[in-house]
Amino acid sequence: MSEQHPVSLPSAAWNTAENHRRLLRTLRGGQQAIWDAGQDYLPPYQGEDLASPWGYANRLKRSTLFNATARAVGQIVGKVFAKPVGLGEDVPVGLRQWCEDVDLRGTHLHEFLRGVFTDAWWYGLGLFMVDMPPAPDRPLSRADELALGRRPYMVRYAPEDLIGFRAGAQGGRWRLLQARLKERVGVEDGEFGQGAEQRIRVYRAADPASEFPWVTFEVWALRAKVAGDPREWQLIEPPRPMAGMAEIPLVACYAGEVASPFDAAPPLLDLAYLNLAHYQLVSDLRHIEHVANVPVPTFTGVDETQFKKRVKWGPNGALLLPAGASYGYFEHSGRCIAELKSSIAKIEEQMRLLSLEPFLPRETGSLTATGEAIRAAEAHSAVQASARSLEDAAEQGLRLMARWAGIEADAAGVADSGGSVLVNH
């Protein structure tokens, strides 16, 4: 076994989605992330010095990002979460209390769903898992579980954490049959240090023909068997049943066009590409303006041997030239600056339309106003659809929590339900 063990290899679908998510993840990280990406998103000029701090590195640090994509996501998420997420009267009292701390980390359901919804608008889908703390090695009654504070909770995963899954028809309906989720777990490193260990959780659907038709899961970790040895993927927790859970408790909320379950296109990918083009053009503009504003000293008629001499000129020095030589400054005409600014303005207008918010100066005219109205209507419907998807995901999460906790019906008496959730749309 090694770091390339089959359990760790992402699926082909993951690789395709990751090609889109990479740019979006960089934009989500903001200015520092796109600086760190360097040449990936700001290619060097032909012949540009990559080693000198006054070459490419200097231009990179003077290149700033106007993050229209992040602003658009913020506006959309803010619209949906302008009002608190509501719980219907049919939500059982126990579940209602758990929603105050839905992830056992003090996060209210409203804030938890906000994070899931934000992921969805960045990457096309947001994910969370319904889990349960490990049980002691002895049978527990419901009273024992309550006394120990053991109860179901939600865990948020980034879309890129789902490195592979299998699905198919089982019992006449679509089911998730297998899921592999990658995670980083904090581990102690010496007396005071803190490290991180890569792990993969593998979930397998229940086998209807089995005596115990529960979902099973196992945990793999990337670690060395002996200090100093190469790391390899090791099974650290063998398969064990998730007692009471008949389906893999992984839930998705969608914002982009859904190709299939757990596969959706990022809804703002076109805006992200425009945002990247804007970043690159602004970098070009600042570089050209810098060149135009710094005249270049020019010597004519000077013997070649003079170039080897150290000369000093300026208001506090004198420049000695041989007879027939002259000295002056070469200045950039700046003619291309206006054209470049025009190109940037056009991209800003396109970004404004795609992000559905007039955050940049806009041109007047009926055509622009009509286009904005059309875009706004499209966005409104897209936001509504994704808000309903979030509502469905939240209700599914409560249903799974109720099932795992042994709550057979919601407060209204509806079987296999955790009640209803109300999301602003």
Side-chain angles (χ1 to χ4, degrees), residues 112-148:
F112 183 86
L113 293 179
R114 183 185 182 96
V116 174
F117 192 72
T118 301
D119 285 345
W121 271 94
W122 274 106
Y123 310 120
L125 74 158
L127 293 173
F128 67 91
M129 174 76 71
V130 176
D131 208 344
M132 177 81 93
D137 295 330
R138 59 183 176 86
L140 291 178
S141 66
R142 181 65 187 135
D144 292 335
E145 290 189 333
L146 291 174
L148 292 172

Side-chain angles (χ1 to χ4, degrees), residues 237-254:
E237 293 186 27
R240 59 180 177 178
M242 302 171 73
M245 189 56 64
E247 60 184 290
I248 298 176
L250 182 64
V251 183
C253 160
Y254 302 97

